[in-house]
Amino acid sequence: MRKMYRNKWFLSGMILMLAAFAVAGCGGREAGNENQSGTGKAASTVETAKERGKLVIGVKFDTNLFGLKDPASGEVKGFDIDIAKAIATKLLGDESKLELKEVTSKTRIPMLQNGDIDAIIATMTVTEERKQQVDFTEVYFNAGQSLLVKKGSPIRSIDDVKKGVKVVAVKGSTSTKNVREKAPDAEVLEFENYQDAFTALKSGKGEVLTTDNSILFGMMKQDPNFEMVGGNFTDEPYGIAVRKGDTEFASFINNLLKEMKENGEYDKLYEQWMGEKPSK
Amino acid sequence: MLDVSVLIGNWDRYMTGFGNTLAISVLALIGSFVIGTLFAVLRIAPNRLLNIIGAAYVEFVRNIPLILIVFLFYNGLPALHLNLNGFVAGTLGLTVYTSAFIAEAIRAGILSVPQGQTEAARSAGLTYVQTMRHIILPQAMRIVIPPLGNQFLNLIKNSSVLGVIAGLDLMYYGDLINLDTFKTFSVYIFVGMFYLILTIPMSFAVNALERRMARSG
Amino acid sequence: MDFIGAYSSDNVLYMLEGFLVTIGVACIAIILSFLVACLLAVVRYARIPVLSQCTAVLVEIIRNLPLLLIIFFVFFALPQVGLKMSVFAAAIVALTIFEAAMVSEIIRAGLMSIDKGQIEAARSSGLSFIQTLRFVTMPQALRRMIPPMVSQFIALLKDTSLTVIIALPELMHNVQIVNGQSVNYIIPTYLFAALLYFIVNYALSMFARRLELRG
C-alpha cells in the first residue's frame, strides 16, 4: 500500500513537471509571436512574404463584387481580390503566389493578429476603434451605409425604419452600430456573415437589410427582386488592414495604390466591378 | 485579466439571454418529451408499419447535426410559406433533435418493464392503448427520469446554437456584448459561467438520481 | 421551382469536398482527444492526489459547457491572452478539448468496469500499479470502450458542423456558400447534407451496435 502511494506521488510530480514544461513552452512561443506581431521592430510582411514565397490575404467569400466564391470554378472573384492580386504581383512578381483565406466580419481581426493572414482586404471600414487593434492603409474605396428592401416595400429611407421594423445586419460590422444609433427603436437581428443575412432577408426574417451600399449593390445584382433605397446615411471608407507595427507593408501598399490610381489601373478595376467610374 | 465591468455594464443583456436560454430549454424539453413518447410507442406498437415509421424518424434525426435541423427550420421553411423567427425556429429545431434521443430513452424504459405485465393487462381486458397508458408508461417513466435529466442538460448546452440564427439566447447576447466591448475573454468567461449555473446543479442531480436508481434497482 | 441547379456537378463536388474536411477534422480530433482523455482518465482512476481532483473539476466544467462557446472561446478569446491559432487549428483544439472531457468519462467507466479481483491478483503477483494498468486493466477496458467510442465519433462528426461559425470550409459552410446562389437551393442543399451525414453516421451506428452485440 505504502509503495503504491509513493508511486502515485512520483507520478503526480512527473505530470506536474510536464505540465509546467508545456506551459513554459507555450509562454516561450507566445513571446516569439509578440516579436512578430507586436509593435517596435516587428518582422515586416514585405520580408517574411518574400522568404516564404507566399502572401496570405484575408478576403470575403460571400460578398458579391468584392469577394465571392464560385463553387463551379473554385475561384474567388471581386474588387478586393483584384487588389490583393495586384499586391502579390508587385511584391512577389507573380499573382499565383497569393493565397486567399476566407474571413468574416467577426473573424478577420483575430485572424490577422494570429498571423493566420498578412492583411485584410474585406470591405473593412476604417474606424478609430479598429485602429487600436490593426494598422490601416489609405482608403481604397469609399462606401456608405444604405438599405436594401424587397421591391415595393413601404420603407423608402432610414426615417421609415421605426419601431416594429426588423432590420437584418451582420455581427461585427460597423453598420450594426450605426443603425442602432440612427434607428434606435427598430429591432436589429444580427447574423454571422452576409450570406446568412441576405438569406434571412430573402426569407422574410426582417423587412430591411442594412450594410454598405457597395455590398448591397452586389446583392441587388444577385437577386433583382431587391432594391436599394434612401441613399447613404453614413460614410464607410474602406481600408486595407495590416498587423499593428507592420508599417513597411502598409506603406508598400499605399505606394502601390497611388501608382494604380495614377496609371488608370484602379479606375479600370473599379469600373469593371462597379459598372461606373469612381466619383472623384 | 477578468474584467467585471463587462458583467455589470451588460447585466440586462446577460439576464435577458439567460432567461431566454432557460425558457427555450424548458419549452423544448416539454415538446420533445411529448414527441419522443409518441415515437417510442410507435416503435414498439404491434404494427410493422408503425415500427418502421418510428425507427426511420429516430434514426434519421439523431444521425444529422442539430445546426442543420435548425437551419432547415429557419432558412428552409419560408420556401414552404412558413416563416418563423429565430427563437421559434430554433426551439422547434431543438425539440425535433432532442425528441429522437428521448424516444430512445423511453423505449428502453418501456422494454425494461417485464413482458408479463402487458400480457396480464391485456388478458384482463385492457386495450393496447390502455395497457400502455395505465400500466407500462407510468413504470417506464421512473426508469426514464435520469436519462431525461441528461437530455435536459444537453438541451441547455445545445440551445446555444440559436445564437447563430438570432435566437435571442445567452450565446447571441454574449456575441453582441463581445462586439460592443471587444473584451472577448471576459465576455465569454461570463457567458460560460451562466451556462454552468444551469448545467452543474443539473449534472449533480442526474448523477445522484442515477446512483440512487442503481442502488434500488 | 428551380432546384435542380442546386445539384449541378460543381455544387455537389464542392459540398463533397466540404464533407471530406468534416471527416478529416473529426478523425484528427478523435485521435487527439483519445490520447488526452487517456491521460485524464488514468489520473482520475489512479487517484493521484491533487491532480485527480483538479482533473475531475476541469472535466466536469468542460462537459457542462456548450461546444459552441468553447469554439468561440478558443478562436476569439484565447488570442487575447496570447494563445493564437489558425482557423483550422482552433477548430481541432476546441473539438479536442470538448471531446477529451467526454471520452475521458468513457475510458474511466471502462477502467472501473474491470473486476477488482483481477487487479488484486495482478498486484499480489508482484506487478506494479502501472504494470497492472498497462497489461491487465487497459487491454480489457479498451475492448469494452469500442462501442461507446464509435458513438462518440458519430457525435463528433455532427459537432464538427458547429465550426461553420469560424468559417472552417467544412460541409455546412460549403452548403451555405452554395445556398447563396438561389433561395430555391436552400432546402435541396440542406437535404443533401442531411443525407451525407445520415449515411455515414447510420453505417457507423450499425457497426457500433454489432460490436456491442458481439462484445
Side-chain angles (χ1 to χ4, degrees):
Chain A
M1 206 55 200
R2 175 139 268 209
K3 193 180 162 208
M4 186 170 133
Y5 261 100
R6 209 179 303 146
N7 237 334
K8 279 182 185 173
W9 280 104
F10 178 69
L11 203 64
S12 170
M14 287 282 284
I15 293 174
L16 271 176
M17 245 157 73
L18 264 174
F21 273 123
V23 170
C26 284
R29 207 155 11 108
E30 185 194 318
N33 269 346
E34 282 312 304
N35 269 341
Q36 254 180 33
S37 60
T39 46
K41 285 192 211 102
S44 163
T45 300
V46 177
E47 308 300 327
T48 50
K50 277 181 184 157
E51 264 168 46
R52 269 181 295 163
K54 196 175 79 176
L55 180 69
V56 190
I57 299 220
V59 295
K60 294 274 176 74
F61 273 28
D62 67 347
T63 310
N64 196 17
L65 305 185
F66 285 89
L68 185 69
K69 171 111 180 173
D70 176 12
S73 61
E75 272 183 81
V76 193
K77 293 172 191 159
F79 184 71
D80 284 347
I81 311 301
D82 286 344
I83 299 274
K85 282 180 181 165
I87 297 172
T89 312
K90 171 91 173 164
L91 186 65
L92 303 169
D94 185 358
E95 75 167 50
S96 69
K97 286 178 179 160
L98 170 71
E99 188 187 327
L100 297 171
K101 277 205 180 159
E102 178 177 11
V103 299
T104 66
S105 297
K106 231 170 89 182
T107 64
R108 58 192 170 192
I109 291 181
M111 281 177 77
L112 182 66
Q113 289 172 337
N114 292 353
D116 220 7
I117 51 179
D118 298 320
I120 303 168
I121 313 182
T123 64
M124 188 172 183
T125 307
V126 180
T127 66
E128 285 307 316
E129 271 167 336
R130 286 177 183 159
K131 276 186 191 163
Q132 315 269 316
Q133 315 200 30
V134 297
D135 280 353
F136 280 105
T137 63
E138 302 286 320
V139 171
Y140 73 98
F141 191 94
N142 274 306
Q145 189 172 345
S146 190
L147 305 171
L148 186 75
V149 296
K150 207 176 183 102
K151 274 191 180 150
S153 160
I155 295 168
R156 304 319 296 172
S157 80
I158 185 74
D159 298 329
D160 298 329
V161 182
K162 295 192 193 98
K163 201 175 171 67
V165 175
K166 288 199 194 80
V167 183
V168 175
V170 171
K171 285 178 188 167
S173 65
T174 44
S175 27
T176 310
K177 272 195 174 158
N178 294 337
V179 79
R180 283 232 164 82
E181 278 162 25
K182 309 264 172 183
D185 296 331
E187 187 185 340
V188 182
L189 300 173
E190 299 183 39
F191 295 86
E192 301 295 318
N193 51 48
Y194 290 109
Q195 198 69 71
D196 287 2
F198 194 29
T199 303
L201 177 72
K202 285 194 262 194
S203 55
K205 305 299 176 191
E207 290 83 32
V208 49
L209 191 160
T210 185
T211 184
D212 306 338
N213 58 347
S214 44
I215 299 170
L216 296 179
F217 186 65
M219 291 177 174
M220 213 167 77
K221 281 201 157 177
Q222 267 181 324
D223 191 334
N225 294 317
F226 293 87
E227 61 176 345
M228 244 194 298
V229 294
N232 298 348
F233 56 91
T234 66
D235 289 324
E236 304 290 332
Y238 290 170
I240 297 169
V242 298
R243 260 185 298 277
K244 218 152 182 40
D246 198 355
T247 33
E248 195 186 345
F249 191 38
S251 53
F252 176 88
I253 297 173
N254 281 335
N255 287 337
L256 174 68
L257 286 174
K258 208 171 144 215
E259 204 176 289
M260 285 173 79
K261 278 183 183 161
E262 276 163 10
N263 66 16
E265 187 70 18
Y266 177 87
D267 287 15
K268 215 180 86 191
L269 280 183
Y270 193 104
E271 205 178 344
Q272 179 193 335
W273 291 106
M274 304 302 141
E276 57 179 34
K277 287 199 161 41
S279 51
K280 293 271 154 69
Chain B
M1 204 149 70
L2 205 57
D3 190 344
V4 186
S5 71
V6 168
L7 181 64
I8 298 163
N10 295 285
W11 183 255
D12 289 350
R13 283 200 277 182
Y14 271 122
M15 279 299 105
T16 314
F18 184 75
N20 283 348
T21 286
L22 193 60
I24 291 160
S25 307
V26 170
L27 285 174
L29 181 72
I30 297 169
S32 53
F33 181 72
V34 172
I35 300 175
T37 310
L38 181 75
F39 279 99
V41 172
L42 282 188
R43 281 198 79 171
I44 51 154
N47 177 315
R48 186 108 184 90
L49 182 69
L50 294 181
N51 296 163
I52 293 173
I53 294 172
Y57 175 85
V58 169
E59 290 299 343
F60 189 71
V61 170
R62 61 181 195 153
N63 281 309
I64 59 178
L66 169 63
I67 197 169
L68 183 61
I69 300 176
V70 168
F71 272 146
L72 194 64
F73 272 92
Y74 190 65
N75 292 325
L77 283 189
L80 310 173
H81 305 287
L82 193 60
N83 203 346
L84 308 170
N85 66 34
F87 186 92
V88 176
T91 310
L92 270 179
L94 269 173
T95 304
V96 167
Y97 183 74
T98 312
S99 71
F101 294 89
I102 290 188
E104 278 305 89
I106 293 178
R107 188 172 75 114
I110 294 173
L111 291 179
S112 71
V113 178
Q115 187 73 43
Q117 295 201 17
T118 313
E119 279 153 25
R122 292 302 300 270
S123 58
L126 270 69
T127 66
Y128 179 76
V129 177
Q130 282 172 331
T131 312
M132 267 294 149
R133 209 181 128 203
H134 299 292
I135 313 287
I136 309 295
L137 280 180
Q139 295 186 68
M141 284 313 155
R142 255 194 15 176
I143 302 163
V144 170
I145 287 172
L148 220 54
N150 250 326
Q151 286 309 322
F152 187 50
L153 202 64
N154 286 337
L155 251 178
I156 296 170
K157 293 193 288 169
N158 285 338
S159 68
S160 59
V161 168
L162 269 75
V164 181
I165 55 163
L168 310 181
D169 69 316
L170 184 52
M171 198 70 210
Y172 178 74
Y173 281 106
D175 244 20
L176 300 194
I177 297 167
N178 172 39
L179 294 167
D180 281 353
T181 59
F182 281 113
K183 294 195 171 118
T184 317
F185 188 82
S186 304
V187 170
Y188 287 134
I189 290 274
F190 289 125
V191 171
M193 270 164 45
F194 280 114
Y195 276 110
L196 290 179
I197 289 174
L198 290 175
T199 52
I200 292 273
M202 199 65 211
S203 163
F204 275 107
V206 170
N207 279 342
L209 264 177
E210 266 169 0
R211 243 173 288 136
R212 193 197 289 178
M213 297 290 272
R215 242 181 299 140
S216 68
Chain C
M1 204 165 93
D2 161 48
F3 58 83
I4 298 299
Y7 298 133
S8 76
S9 59
D10 290 322
N11 286 345
V12 166
L13 269 179
Y14 185 60
M15 289 189 279
L16 285 175
E17 224 172 81
F19 198 44
L20 279 185
V21 173
T22 299
I23 293 175
V25 167
C27 285
I28 296 172
I30 196 81
I31 293 168
L32 289 179
S33 54
F34 183 74
L35 295 178
V36 176
C38 275
L39 196 68
L40 295 178
V42 169
V43 165
R44 284 188 73 184
Y45 176 70
R47 309 216 171 145
I48 296 172
V50 187
L51 264 188
S52 169
Q53 283 81 1
C54 291
T55 318
V57 171
L58 200 68
V59 166
E60 193 62 18
I61 288 179
I62 291 172
R63 266 161 43 93
N64 282 299
L65 284 173
L67 174 57
L68 199 65
L69 181 72
I70 297 176
I71 297 174
F72 269 153
F73 193 79
V74 168
F75 188 71
F76 293 113
L78 287 189
Q80 292 199 338
V81 291
L83 274 172
K84 302 169 177 185
M85 275 171 264
S86 70
V87 169
F88 189 73
I92 287 180
V93 168
L95 288 169
T96 301
I97 290 174
F98 185 72
E99 301 298 331
M102 297 294 188
V103 173
S104 81
E105 289 294 285
I106 295 177
I107 298 177
R108 207 166 66 97
L111 290 174
M112 306 278 257
S113 74
I114 305 300
D115 183 23
K116 284 270 182 329
Q118 287 191 29
I119 299 166
E120 275 156 28
R123 290 299 305 245
S124 60
S125 67
L127 268 69
S128 73
F129 180 76
I130 293 173
Q131 281 172 327
T132 311
L133 192 63
R134 172 134 183 247
F135 297 110
V136 181
T137 326
M138 260 301 183
Q140 294 185 67
L142 277 178
R143 213 165 315 139
R144 289 184 198 179
M145 278 173 228
I146 293 174
M149 278 301 292
V150 176
S151 302
Q152 196 57 41
F153 185 64
I154 294 174
L156 176 55
L157 266 176
K158 293 192 289 172
D159 287 344
T160 305
S161 63
L162 292 177
T163 57
V164 66
I165 53 159
I166 54 170
L168 184 82
E170 47 72 63
L171 178 58
M172 274 320 286
H173 169 270
N174 289 8
V175 163
Q176 298 284 83
I177 293 265
V178 171
N179 278 344
Q181 296 165 7
S182 160
V183 205
N184 294 337
Y185 293 179
I186 294 176
I187 291 183
T189 51
Y190 284 158
L191 290 183
F192 181 74
L195 207 65
L196 282 184
Y197 281 114
F198 173 73
I199 291 169
V200 171
N201 287 338
Y202 186 65
L204 281 171
S205 73
M206 284 325 241
F207 174 66
R209 217 166 290 170
R210 193 189 285 177
L211 282 178
E212 232 162 318
L213 288 180
R214 214 190 310 154

